[in-house]
């Protein structure tokens, strides 16, 4: 006698309910003992995929018949690069590449700072990272990021903070004194 398994019974019920014929698809005869769950999980997956195809869930997909974007045959780390880009993970790149990215956004980072001393400290810290990366011989891409002139960066930072020079604003006219509502009288 077959062993009673509530999970399998519930799965069979869902298959019967969702199938167009109302019967459970089987590859074995009805007399055969029910196989174990783990041995035939591939059959269950096949049933689910077949049902989804019958319902039309795979029709009109955006990339149907096209290669998956971003995957190249010669790059075994395509998934890792896609993950880094999608999740915007930083700090795991080789130092030379991380310095290039930081160099590109340094002005925006400096604009967020409030004092000249903070700007000086940030530029000096960036320069120290460049020098440290140049000294390390760990391999990887070469460090081509230039050092930044601290005084020039402070000057450019302060110039970006000042409003642009333009024509002087017109002097505001003093407000006119308004009298209350006057009723015009009719001459008659």
């Amino acid at each position: 006698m077959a062993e009673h398994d509530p999970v399998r019974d519930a799965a069979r019920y869902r298959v019967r309910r969702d199938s167009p014929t109302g019967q459970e698809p089987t590859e074995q005869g009805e007399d055969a003992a029910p196989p174990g769950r783990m041995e035939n999980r591939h059959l269950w997956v096949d049933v689910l995929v077949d049902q989804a195809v019958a319902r039309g869930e795979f029709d009109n997909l955006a990339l149907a018949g096209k290669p998956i974007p971003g995957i190249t045959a010669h790059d075994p780390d395509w998934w890792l690069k896609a993950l880094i880009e999608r999740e915007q993970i930083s700090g795991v790149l080789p130092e030379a590449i991380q310095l290039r990215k930081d160099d590109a956004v340094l002005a925006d980072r400096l604009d967020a700072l409030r004092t000249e001393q903070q700007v000086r400290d940030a530029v000096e810290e960036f320069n120290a990272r460049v020098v440290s990366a140049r000294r390390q011989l760990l391999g990887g891409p070469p460090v081509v990021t230039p050092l930044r002139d601290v005084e020039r960066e402070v000057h450019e930072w302060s110039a970006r903070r000042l409003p642009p020079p333009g024509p002087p604003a017109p002097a505001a006219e003093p407000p006119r004194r308004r009298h209350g509502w006057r009723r015009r009288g009719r001459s008659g």
Side-chain angles (χ1 to χ4, degrees), residues 1-70:
M1 181 161 173
E3 180 181 326
H4 179 66
D5 185 3
V7 174
R8 186 175 15 187
D9 293 342
R12 285 183 177 163
Y13 168 75
R14 284 192 298 271
V15 168
R16 275 189 237 112
R17 180 190 66 195
D18 294 341
S19 71
T21 62
Q23 295 179 357
E24 181 178 345
T26 59
E27 291 187 9
Q28 303 172 351
E30 292 294 327
D31 300 335
R37 286 186 356 216
M38 293 305 289
E39 291 84 16
N40 291 322
R41 66 183 174 268
H42 65 281
L43 296 176
W44 177 247
V45 171
D46 290 341
V47 168
L48 291 178
V49 170
D50 290 341
Q51 289 174 354
V53 168
R55 287 190 303 266
E57 293 182 10
F58 295 112
D59 295 344
N60 302 323
L61 292 176
L63 295 174
K66 299 177 185 172
I68 298 174

Side-chain angles (χ1 to χ4, degrees), residues 15-132:
V15 168
R16 275 189 237 112
R17 180 190 66 195
D18 294 341
S19 71
T21 62
Q23 295 179 357
E24 181 178 345
T26 59
E27 291 187 9
Q28 303 172 351
E30 292 294 327
D31 300 335
R37 286 186 356 216
M38 293 305 289
E39 291 84 16
N40 291 322
R41 66 183 174 268
H42 65 281
L43 296 176
W44 177 247
V45 171
D46 290 341
V47 168
L48 291 178
V49 170
D50 290 341
Q51 289 174 354
V53 168
R55 287 190 303 266
E57 293 182 10
F58 295 112
D59 295 344
N60 302 323
L61 292 176
L63 295 174
K66 299 177 185 172
I68 298 174
I71 297 178
T72 57
H74 63 278
D75 188 7
D77 296 329
W78 64 268
W79 63 272
L80 182 60
K81 292 176 183 174
L83 174 71
I84 289 171
E85 182 178 332
R86 181 179 62 247
E87 300 295 328
Q88 298 178 351
I89 298 172
S90 63
V92 295
L93 297 174
E95 188 63 21
I97 296 174
Q98 186 65 46
L99 282 170
R100 289 181 206 169
K101 292 181 86 170
D102 293 346
D103 184 42
V105 296
L106 185 61
D108 294 334
R109 184 174 157 224
L110 295 179
D111 287 344
L113 301 177
R114 298 184 180 268
T115 65
E116 284 189 15
Q117 187 58 43
Q118 289 176 337
V119 172
R120 288 179 198 281
D121 293 343
V123 174
E124 288 172 359
E125 181 266 334
F126 176 77
N127 285 342
R129 285 180 50 215
V130 171
V131 170
S132 174

